[in-house]
Amino acid sequence: MTNVARSVPAADKAIAYKNVRERIDALLVGDLDWIAAMATVACELHNAFDYFHWTGFYRNVDGKNLLIGPYQGGHGCLHIAFDRGVCGAAARTRQTQLVDDVDSFPGHIACSSSTRSEIVVPVVTPDDQLLAVLDVDSDLPGAFDSIDQRALEDLCASLGTMFGTART
Ligand code: SME
C-alpha cells in the first residue's frame, strides 16, 4: 500500500513543523491557561497536516486515569485508564508511543475504526509531573516517523515547562 504520509519529503515535513511551531509559539503568549493552550495546540496541529485525523489531549486526573481534553476530529473516548491503550502506555511509561499499526498494539482502543497508526507523547513538567498526553491518530498506516516524534516531543516539553503548575 502506498504510504502517502511517508512520501512527503522529510524537508517539507520539517518545514511544516517549523511553521506550525512558530504559529503555536506566537499564540501561546499572555494570559493563557492550560485548557486554552491545549485547545490552541490541537487546532493548529490538526489543521497543519493532512494525515492527522484526530489530534488532542487526554489529561492526567489522578495518576491512574486520563480524561478527554481539547481535541479536533471525530468523537474521542472520554476516559482511559493508565493500564489501557496506547494513551495509557504513554501515561504509565512517560515515553512516546509510536505505533505504525494499531492492530498490532495489544489493548489499542479503537475510538475510530479508520485509525491505522498513532503517536502519543506525554506532557511532563520539569518537576516530573505528568500533565497530559498528546494523541495524534492517522487513517494511514505508519503515518508517523522520527520527524513527527522529535517535533511533537519538543512541543510537549515546552508545554510541560510553560504550564507546569496546571493540574486540571
Ligand atoms: N487509540 C487510543 C485511544 C484514544 S483515541 O484513539 C482518540 C488508545 O489506544 O489509547
Side-chain angles (χ1 to χ4, degrees), residues 34-47 53-59 67-79 111-112 133-137:
W34 176 222
I35 302 289
M38 287 189 285
T40 301
V41 168
C43 175
E44 290 298 323
L45 286 177
H46 192 74
N47 288 294
H53 84 258
W54 195 97
T55 311
F57 291 87
Y58 281 92
R59 298 167 295 119
L67 273 185
I68 192 76
Y71 68 94
Q72 301 262 320
H75 168 82
C77 35
L78 275 69
H79 165 259
C111 292
S112 161
V133 299
L134 170 62
D135 178 11
V136 186
D137 299 351

Side-chain angles (χ1 to χ4, degrees), residues 69-148:
Y71 68 94
Q72 301 262 320
H75 168 82
C77 35
L78 275 69
H79 165 259
I80 299 176
F82 273 32
D83 60 1
R84 297 212 49 226
V86 185
C87 291
R92 207 168 56 242
T93 63
R94 298 185 180 195
Q95 299 291 316
T96 296
Q97 306 293 307
L98 201 168
V99 181
D100 282 341
D101 171 10
V102 294
D103 291 334
S104 69
F105 190 98
H108 166 256
I109 301 163
C111 292
S112 161
S113 59
S114 63
T115 300
R116 300 269 52 92
S117 61
E118 164 163 10
I119 185 167
V120 183
V121 181
V123 181
V124 179
T125 68
D127 62 343
D128 218 28
Q129 303 296 311
L130 178 75
L131 287 185
V133 299
L134 170 62
D135 178 11
V136 186
D137 299 351
S138 180
D139 286 346
L140 298 170
F144 306 103
D145 61 18
S146 59
I147 297 176
D148 300 275

